[in-house]
Short mmCIF file of all heavy atoms in Angstrom, two decimals:
data_model
loop_
_atom_site.label_atom_id
_atom_site.label_comp_id
_atom_site.label_asym_id
_atom_site.label_seq_id
_atom_site.Cartn_x
_atom_site.Cartn_y
_atom_site.Cartn_z
N THR A 26 -2.59 3.19 14.09
CA THR A 26 -3.53 3.42 13.01
C THR A 26 -2.95 4.43 12.03
O THR A 26 -1.99 5.14 12.34
CB THR A 26 -4.88 3.93 13.53
OG1 THR A 26 -4.67 5.16 14.25
CG2 THR A 26 -5.53 2.90 14.45
N PHE A 27 -3.54 4.50 10.85
CA PHE A 27 -3.04 5.36 9.80
C PHE A 27 -3.90 6.62 9.69
O PHE A 27 -5.11 6.54 9.46
CB PHE A 27 -3.04 4.61 8.47
CG PHE A 27 -2.52 5.41 7.31
CD1 PHE A 27 -1.20 5.83 7.28
CD2 PHE A 27 -3.36 5.73 6.26
CE1 PHE A 27 -0.71 6.56 6.20
CE2 PHE A 27 -2.89 6.45 5.17
CZ PHE A 27 -1.56 6.87 5.15
N LEU A 28 -3.28 7.78 9.91
CA LEU A 28 -3.95 9.08 9.81
C LEU A 28 -5.21 9.18 10.66
O LEU A 28 -6.18 9.86 10.31
CB LEU A 28 -4.30 9.38 8.34
CG LEU A 28 -3.11 9.56 7.38
CD1 LEU A 28 -3.60 9.73 5.96
CD2 LEU A 28 -2.26 10.76 7.81
N GLY A 29 -5.23 8.46 11.78
CA GLY A 29 -6.37 8.52 12.69
C GLY A 29 -7.62 7.84 12.17
O GLY A 29 -8.71 8.03 12.71
N THR A 30 -7.49 7.02 11.11
CA THR A 30 -8.64 6.32 10.55
C THR A 30 -8.76 4.93 11.17
O THR A 30 -8.02 4.57 12.07
CB THR A 30 -8.50 6.19 9.03
OG1 THR A 30 -7.38 5.33 8.75
CG2 THR A 30 -8.25 7.54 8.38
N GLY A 31 -9.68 4.14 10.64
CA GLY A 31 -9.82 2.77 11.12
C GLY A 31 -8.86 1.81 10.44
O GLY A 31 -8.91 0.60 10.70
N ILE A 32 -8.00 2.33 9.58
CA ILE A 32 -7.05 1.47 8.88
C ILE A 32 -5.83 1.25 9.75
O ILE A 32 -5.18 2.20 10.19
CB ILE A 32 -6.63 2.10 7.53
CG1 ILE A 32 -7.86 2.29 6.63
CG2 ILE A 32 -5.59 1.25 6.84
CD1 ILE A 32 -7.54 2.98 5.32
N ASN A 33 -5.50 -0.01 10.00
CA ASN A 33 -4.31 -0.35 10.78
C ASN A 33 -3.06 0.11 10.05
O ASN A 33 -2.99 0.10 8.83
CB ASN A 33 -4.27 -1.87 11.00
CG ASN A 33 -3.07 -2.31 11.80
OD1 ASN A 33 -2.03 -2.62 11.23
ND2 ASN A 33 -3.20 -2.33 13.11
N ALA A 34 -2.04 0.54 10.82
CA ALA A 34 -0.81 1.05 10.20
C ALA A 34 -0.15 -0.01 9.31
O ALA A 34 0.32 0.30 8.21
CB ALA A 34 0.16 1.50 11.29
N LYS A 35 -0.14 -1.26 9.77
CA LYS A 35 0.47 -2.30 8.94
C LYS A 35 -0.29 -2.46 7.63
O LYS A 35 0.32 -2.63 6.56
CB LYS A 35 0.53 -3.63 9.69
CG LYS A 35 1.17 -4.74 8.86
CD LYS A 35 1.35 -6.03 9.63
CE LYS A 35 1.98 -7.10 8.77
NZ LYS A 35 2.24 -8.36 9.50
N THR A 36 -1.62 -2.42 7.69
CA THR A 36 -2.41 -2.49 6.47
C THR A 36 -2.06 -1.36 5.53
O THR A 36 -1.94 -1.54 4.31
CB THR A 36 -3.91 -2.46 6.80
OG1 THR A 36 -4.24 -3.57 7.64
CG2 THR A 36 -4.76 -2.52 5.53
N ALA A 37 -1.87 -0.15 6.09
CA ALA A 37 -1.50 1.00 5.26
C ALA A 37 -0.15 0.78 4.59
O ALA A 37 0.03 1.11 3.41
CB ALA A 37 -1.47 2.27 6.11
N TYR A 38 0.80 0.20 5.33
CA TYR A 38 2.12 -0.05 4.75
C TYR A 38 2.03 -1.13 3.66
O TYR A 38 2.66 -1.01 2.60
CB TYR A 38 3.11 -0.46 5.83
CG TYR A 38 3.26 0.53 6.96
CD1 TYR A 38 3.66 0.12 8.24
CD2 TYR A 38 3.00 1.89 6.76
CE1 TYR A 38 3.80 1.01 9.27
CE2 TYR A 38 3.14 2.80 7.79
CZ TYR A 38 3.52 2.36 9.06
OH TYR A 38 3.64 3.26 10.09
N VAL A 39 1.27 -2.17 3.94
CA VAL A 39 1.10 -3.25 2.97
C VAL A 39 0.46 -2.72 1.69
O VAL A 39 0.92 -2.99 0.57
CB VAL A 39 0.25 -4.40 3.56
CG1 VAL A 39 -0.16 -5.38 2.47
CG2 VAL A 39 1.03 -5.13 4.65
N ILE A 40 -0.61 -1.94 1.85
CA ILE A 40 -1.32 -1.40 0.68
C ILE A 40 -0.44 -0.42 -0.08
O ILE A 40 -0.42 -0.41 -1.31
CB ILE A 40 -2.65 -0.75 1.12
CG1 ILE A 40 -3.63 -1.82 1.60
CG2 ILE A 40 -3.26 0.05 -0.04
CD1 ILE A 40 -4.91 -1.26 2.16
N SER A 41 0.30 0.41 0.65
CA SER A 41 1.17 1.37 -0.02
C SER A 41 2.22 0.67 -0.87
O SER A 41 2.47 1.05 -2.02
CB SER A 41 1.86 2.26 1.02
OG SER A 41 0.93 3.05 1.72
N GLN A 42 2.83 -0.36 -0.31
CA GLN A 42 3.81 -1.11 -1.10
C GLN A 42 3.14 -1.79 -2.29
O GLN A 42 3.68 -1.82 -3.40
CB GLN A 42 4.52 -2.15 -0.23
CG GLN A 42 5.70 -2.82 -0.95
CD GLN A 42 6.23 -4.01 -0.19
OE1 GLN A 42 5.49 -4.92 0.15
NE2 GLN A 42 7.53 -4.00 0.08
N LEU A 43 1.95 -2.34 -2.06
CA LEU A 43 1.22 -2.98 -3.14
C LEU A 43 0.88 -2.00 -4.26
O LEU A 43 0.94 -2.33 -5.44
CB LEU A 43 -0.07 -3.61 -2.61
CG LEU A 43 0.03 -5.02 -2.04
CD1 LEU A 43 -1.29 -5.44 -1.43
CD2 LEU A 43 0.46 -6.01 -3.12
N LEU A 44 0.50 -0.78 -3.87
CA LEU A 44 0.20 0.23 -4.89
C LEU A 44 1.44 0.53 -5.74
O LEU A 44 1.36 0.60 -6.97
CB LEU A 44 -0.30 1.51 -4.23
CG LEU A 44 -1.73 1.48 -3.68
CD1 LEU A 44 -2.01 2.73 -2.84
CD2 LEU A 44 -2.74 1.38 -4.83
N GLY A 45 2.59 0.70 -5.08
CA GLY A 45 3.82 0.91 -5.81
C GLY A 45 4.17 -0.27 -6.68
O GLY A 45 4.59 -0.13 -7.84
N TYR A 46 3.98 -1.46 -6.13
CA TYR A 46 4.28 -2.70 -6.86
C TYR A 46 3.36 -2.85 -8.06
O TYR A 46 3.77 -3.29 -9.13
CB TYR A 46 4.12 -3.87 -5.90
CG TYR A 46 4.94 -5.09 -6.24
CD1 TYR A 46 6.32 -5.12 -6.03
CD2 TYR A 46 4.33 -6.23 -6.76
CE1 TYR A 46 7.07 -6.25 -6.32
CE2 TYR A 46 5.08 -7.37 -7.06
CZ TYR A 46 6.44 -7.37 -6.84
OH TYR A 46 7.18 -8.48 -7.13
N THR A 47 2.08 -2.47 -7.88
CA THR A 47 1.11 -2.56 -8.97
C THR A 47 1.45 -1.58 -10.08
O THR A 47 1.43 -1.94 -11.27
CB THR A 47 -0.31 -2.27 -8.44
OG1 THR A 47 -0.62 -3.20 -7.39
CG2 THR A 47 -1.35 -2.39 -9.55
N VAL A 48 1.76 -0.34 -9.72
CA VAL A 48 2.19 0.64 -10.72
C VAL A 48 3.42 0.13 -11.46
O VAL A 48 3.54 0.26 -12.69
CB VAL A 48 2.48 2.00 -10.05
CG1 VAL A 48 3.12 2.97 -11.05
CG2 VAL A 48 1.19 2.59 -9.49
N SER A 49 4.33 -0.50 -10.72
CA SER A 49 5.54 -1.05 -11.32
C SER A 49 5.21 -2.11 -12.36
O SER A 49 5.87 -2.20 -13.41
CB SER A 49 6.43 -1.64 -10.23
OG SER A 49 7.64 -2.14 -10.77
N LYS A 50 4.20 -2.92 -12.09
CA LYS A 50 3.81 -3.96 -13.04
C LYS A 50 3.26 -3.35 -14.33
O LYS A 50 3.54 -3.84 -15.43
CB LYS A 50 2.77 -4.89 -12.41
CG LYS A 50 3.31 -5.73 -11.25
CD LYS A 50 4.40 -6.68 -11.70
CE LYS A 50 4.90 -7.55 -10.56
NZ LYS A 50 5.97 -8.48 -10.96
N TYR A 51 2.46 -2.29 -14.20
CA TYR A 51 1.95 -1.63 -15.40
C TYR A 51 3.10 -1.01 -16.21
O TYR A 51 3.12 -1.09 -17.44
CB TYR A 51 0.92 -0.56 -15.03
CG TYR A 51 -0.44 -1.12 -14.68
CD1 TYR A 51 -0.85 -1.24 -13.36
CD2 TYR A 51 -1.31 -1.54 -15.67
CE1 TYR A 51 -2.10 -1.76 -13.03
CE2 TYR A 51 -2.57 -2.05 -15.37
CZ TYR A 51 -2.95 -2.16 -14.04
OH TYR A 51 -4.19 -2.67 -13.73
N ILE A 52 4.05 -0.39 -15.51
CA ILE A 52 5.22 0.16 -16.19
C ILE A 52 6.03 -0.96 -16.84
O ILE A 52 6.53 -0.84 -17.96
CB ILE A 52 6.09 0.96 -15.20
CG1 ILE A 52 5.33 2.16 -14.66
CG2 ILE A 52 7.39 1.40 -15.86
CD1 ILE A 52 6.04 2.88 -13.54
N GLY A 53 6.13 -2.09 -16.11
CA GLY A 53 6.91 -3.21 -16.59
C GLY A 53 6.36 -3.87 -17.84
O GLY A 53 7.11 -4.54 -18.57
#
């Protein structure tokens, strides 16, 4: 789990990459 929350670690990794990818699209 991520930071002891109910969020699965893989979900946290997926969302983190998506956040970076989303910011990249706005920059792009």
